[in-house]
């Protein structure tokens, strides 16, 4: 396997993900928001690369995903697409880009596809079925997203686990089946009990991708910055940190600061030499001192 445009692994498509479920092979998904992280995520061999609207919180410093705009999503999708990933590149439809009408949903999905996305994700169940159907009819693959849907944080009264009781679980099951019928190729299940994650994964033909939805989903997704230890604040219960990248960055920056202040940086080998003989400064021209009138002296 080689990188830099010569990756010989087959491209991941929506069909690959369906086959993975049928073969009992777990789907791996991670978010990425720019060129270098997209290259690294893809080199790691993940199946689905998500340009999530979580970009708003982990990269742009917003308090929720709600302020994220289509312009911001477009900018990040373009950067990720330049990595030409082998993974399926899915882009989030941000808050208010699809809710108002199926026409909005198709237009904004089309904008993300033109910028390099290969599928779009949108949050919601039966209330967004007309949007899902319209996008699928426009030949754009759709990834659903149910459970703790962050764009509904104010309606949900905070980032709370969903579907804990039987009635709420049944409503999510109905939503999931409706999304499958409407043509979603997969569904992200976020912040629901493991038992419900397992039940939905069994009930659906299409693969489920869990985040805080237990081990029996058909795949798992994490936000890259959470996984790397590059996000701030208390991580959610389901986050496993695989590195302390914030610590690595802090240590490097403090070492640079100390080297500059002590004169250790830059060394001779990190500096340029002038052409031979050119290092003598020219003799300064003797300009006569200006005559200052006595009353101003
Ligand atoms: O925006 C995002 O990163 C997501 C994942 C957490 C699934 O929606």
């Amino acid at each position: 396997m080689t990188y830099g445009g010569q990756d010989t692994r087959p491209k991941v498509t929506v069909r690959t993900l369906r086959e993975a479920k049928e073969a009992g092979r777990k789907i791996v998904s991670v978010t990425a928001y720019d060129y270098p992280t997209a290259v690294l995520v893809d080199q790691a061999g993940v199946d689905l690369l998500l340009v999530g609207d979580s970009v708003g919180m982990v990269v742009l410093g917003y308090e929720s995903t709600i302020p994220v705009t289509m312009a911001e999503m477009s900018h990040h999708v373009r950067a990720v697409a330049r990595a030409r990933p082998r993974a399926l590149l899915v882009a989030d439809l941000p808050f208010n880009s699809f809710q108002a009408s199926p026409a909005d949903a198709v237009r904004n999905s089309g904008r993300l596809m033109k910028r390099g996305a290969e599928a779009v994700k949108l949050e919601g169940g039966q209330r967004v079925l007309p949007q899902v159907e319209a996008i699928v009819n426009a030949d754009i693959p759709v990834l659903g997203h149910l459970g703790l849907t962050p764009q509904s944080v104010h309606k949900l009264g905070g980032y709370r686990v969903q579907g804990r009781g039987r009635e709420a679980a049944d409503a999510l099951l109905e939503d999931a089946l409706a999304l499958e019928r409407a043509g979603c190729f997969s569904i992200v299940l976020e912040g629901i009990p493991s038992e419900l994650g397992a039940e939905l994964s069994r009930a659906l033909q299409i693969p489920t991708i869990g985040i805080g939805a237990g081990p029996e989903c058909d795949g798992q997704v994490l936000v890259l910055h959470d996984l790397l230890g590059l996000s701030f604040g208390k991580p959610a219960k389901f986050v496993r940190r695989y590195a302390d990248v914030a610590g690595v960055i802090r240590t490097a920056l403090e070492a640079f600061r100390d080297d500059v202040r002590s004169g250790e940086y830059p060394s001779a080998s990190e500096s340029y030499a002038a052409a031979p003989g050119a290092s003598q400064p020219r003799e300064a021209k003797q300009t006569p001192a200006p005559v200052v009138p006595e009353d101003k002296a």
Side-chain angles (χ1 to χ4, degrees):
M1 184 166 66
T2 52
Y3 295 109
Q6 294 166 36
D7 191 339
T8 52
R9 297 170 300 172
K11 173 75 188 158
V12 177
T13 67
V14 295
R15 285 186 57 177
T16 321
L17 302 182
R18 183 68 170 258
E19 286 161 11
K21 174 162 180 145
E22 283 159 12
R25 204 171 55 242
K26 291 278 189 186
I27 295 164
V28 183
S29 176
V30 179
T31 64
Y33 314 105
D34 56 23
Y35 178 79
T37 57
V39 168
L40 292 169
V41 165
D42 200 47
Q43 286 180 354
V46 308
D47 303 300
L48 192 157
L49 196 165
L50 175 66
V51 186
D53 60 356
S54 50
V55 67
M57 295 176 79
V58 297
V59 173
L60 303 177
Y62 296 142
E63 285 207 358
S64 75
T65 57
I66 289 171
V68 176
T69 63
M70 271 301 295
E72 286 164 341
M73 287 305 299
S74 298
H75 174 79
H76 288 279
V77 169
R78 269 205 195 102
V80 167
R82 285 184 204 115
R84 281 173 282 129
R86 165 201 160 269
L88 182 70
L89 198 174
V90 182
D92 248 333
L93 280 167
F95 180 74
N96 211 28
S97 69
F98 65 94
Q99 286 91 341
S101 69
D104 266 4
V106 173
R107 189 172 46 252
N108 285 318
S109 300
R111 285 172 69 190
L112 296 175
M113 298 293 279
K114 282 196 179 289
R115 282 151 185 82
E118 294 160 339
V120 297
K121 175 167 84 57
L122 84 178
E123 296 182 9
Q126 305 198 50
R127 66 194 160 83
V128 295
L129 282 190
Q131 280 85 338
V132 172
E133 281 163 0
I135 302 168
V136 171
N137 279 337
D139 290 340
I140 299 171
V142 179
L143 174 60
H145 187 160
L146 290 173
L148 196 180
T149 43
Q151 290 176 13
S152 313
V153 59
H154 298 305
K155 184 177 157 200
L156 300 176
Y159 296 101
R160 300 163 172 279
V161 175
Q162 301 296 302
R164 275 206 151 120
R166 192 59 248 173
E167 207 177 309
D170 282 342
L172 278 176
L173 177 61
E174 287 308 313
D175 277 344
L177 292 170
L179 287 178
E180 178 173 77
R181 281 195 299 272
C184 282
F185 70 88
S186 172
I187 302 178
V188 168
L189 300 175
E190 179 165 355
I192 60 172
S194 302
E195 296 85 347
L196 182 56
E199 183 184 341
L200 297 185
S201 304
R202 278 194 303 271
L204 294 168
Q205 311 270 306
I206 56 174
T208 60
I209 304 179
I211 173 161
E216 288 182 56
C217 294
D218 301 306
Q220 299 290 331
V221 57
L222 277 181
V223 168
L224 179 73
H225 291 57
D226 288 343
L227 175 168
L228 294 180
L230 189 53
S231 50
F232 309 104
K234 191 171 177 282
K237 180 184 168 80
F238 55 79
V239 170
R240 186 179 294 182
R241 290 217 190 276
Y242 287 85
D244 175 23
V245 170
V248 171
I249 292 176
R250 252 184 225 114
T251 306
L253 291 172
E254 285 164 9
F256 176 63
R257 176 201 63 199
D258 292 347
D259 285 353
V260 170
R261 289 191 180 147
S262 67
E264 278 287 306
Y265 178 85
S267 65
S269 67
E270 288 157 333
S271 306
Y272 298 104
S279 56
Q280 294 296 324
R282 263 195 215 154
E283 264 179 32
K285 268 196 193 153
Q286 293 295 323
T287 42
V291 181
V292 181
E294 245 170 53
D295 58 337
K296 302 250 169 80

